[in-house]
Amino acid sequence: NAGVTQTPKFQVLKTGQSMTLQCAQDMNHNSMYWYRQDPGMGLRLIYYSASEGTTDKGEVPNGYNVSRLNKREFSLRLESAAPSQTSVYFCASSDPRGGNLKETQYFGPGTRLLVL
Amino acid sequence: SQQGEEDPQALSIQEGENATMNCSYKTSINNLQWYRQNSGRGLVHLILIRSNEREKHSGRLRVTLDTSKKSSSLLITASRAADTASYFCATVETGANNLFFGTGTRLTVIP
């Protein structure tokens, strides 16, 4: 089991460029999440997908779009990157059916994005 | 947002000492969780305490929850150098499913 995987690990973009961050989980989890982590601010939820076929905005969705491609994969797209989107992005998953562990989230290793 | 706040922001102790971190939050919760993040890595779940629980243990970890004060504490006993990491509390609001994270405590355990 690889758990939650993310690609790429590191990316440098110029302002206005677009890119897609990929996330996949092999734990058969229903729910998936995208967070960003900035210094001194903890993690903030960008978008989440409670189940395959659904997506919802989190705390900081502006400038991002998501796609729940299938149960395994949840991608995050920046259509026109801005320096304010320089951050570390984490994908996570959870299984609402998972008994006592249903509210536990499992995190990927992160993608470090620098927008110049 | 009901993002929690951890206190202190940074803590440095000698190996073998106990480390205590505190978390405060703003609204009613379903549960509160603690996560650890090693430098440059993702977060790892440590322990979950529900709103109707007051204390929970897991190995060298002890978590307390005081819903009247909207606060929680994480105690790590007999700390080890490998415990060096950032620790985050995260809350699940009553009726919601999403986690709201605090700003974290950076713990350094000196060998």
Side-chain angles (χ1 to χ4, degrees):
Chain A
N1 266 354
V4 180
T5 57
Q6 293 182 235
T7 56
K9 292 183 179 178
F10 183 71
Q11 183 75 44
V12 179
L13 292 178
K14 294 181 180 178
T15 296
Q17 286 185 319
S18 63
M19 78 161 295
T20 300
L21 283 67
Q22 306 287 353
C23 173
Q25 51 91 9
D26 62 2
M27 297 175 283
N28 201 35
H29 284 174
N30 277 346
S31 301
M32 297 184 74
Y33 311 82
W34 275 106
Y35 294 90
R36 61 179 287 173
Q37 184 178 32
D38 301 297
M41 297 197 69
L43 276 75
R44 291 182 292 169
L45 183 65
I46 305 171
Y47 270 94
Y48 67 99
S49 171
S51 61
E52 188 178 355
T54 68
T55 61
D56 286 287
K57 295 178 180 179
E59 189 179 354
V60 287
N62 290 346
Y64 306 95
N65 285 302
V66 290
S67 294
R68 183 74 182 267
L69 304 170
N70 48 54
K71 192 170 186 179
R72 288 187 66 247
E73 297 172 289
F74 188 37
S75 63
L76 178 71
R77 182 160 179 85
L78 286 70
E79 290 291 352
S80 179
S84 61
Q85 294 178 304
T86 293
S87 189
V88 182
Y89 292 85
F90 289 98
C91 178
S93 70
S94 68
D95 188 359
R97 306 161 302 168
N100 287 335
L101 298 177
K102 64 181 179 180
E103 291 127 328
T104 297
Q105 293 192 11
Y106 298 83
F107 284 81
T111 293
R112 281 155 183 74
L113 176 65
L114 175 62
V115 183
L116 301 174
Chain B
S1 165
Q2 81 146 42
Q3 185 178 40
E5 288 190 9
E6 279 94 336
D7 171 60
Q9 290 186 335
L11 178 62
S12 183
I13 59 174
Q14 296 288 334
E15 199 165 31
E17 293 181 337
N18 296 342
T20 299
M21 289 158 264
N22 303 297
C23 169
S24 60
Y25 56 92
K26 298 176 184 175
T27 64
S28 65
I29 61 170
N30 178 284
N31 66 73
L32 185 144
Q33 304 177 32
W34 286 90
Y35 286 78
R36 184 185 72 203
Q37 183 180 34
N38 288 83
S39 182
R41 309 290 293 273
L43 279 73
V44 175
H45 180 263
L46 294 176
I47 196 166
L48 181 154
I49 187 166
R50 300 197 180 280
S51 58
N52 60 352
E53 298 175 311
R54 292 297 167 258
E55 188 171 313
K56 204 161 185 180
H57 296 254
S58 176
R60 294 184 295 113
L61 305 180
R62 173 179 169 250
V63 170
T64 61
L65 179 64
D66 187 335
T67 53
S68 66
K69 295 181 179 178
K70 293 186 171 55
S71 66
S72 173
S73 67
L74 171 67
L75 169 67
I76 304 174
T77 60
S79 63
R80 305 167 181 169
D83 294 328
T84 293
S86 291
Y87 292 81
F88 294 88
C89 69
T91 54
V92 177
E93 288 183 357
T94 302
N97 294 313
N98 298 329
L99 286 173
F100 287 92
F101 283 86
T103 51
T105 292
R106 174 72 186 166
L107 173 66
T108 301
V109 181
I110 303 167

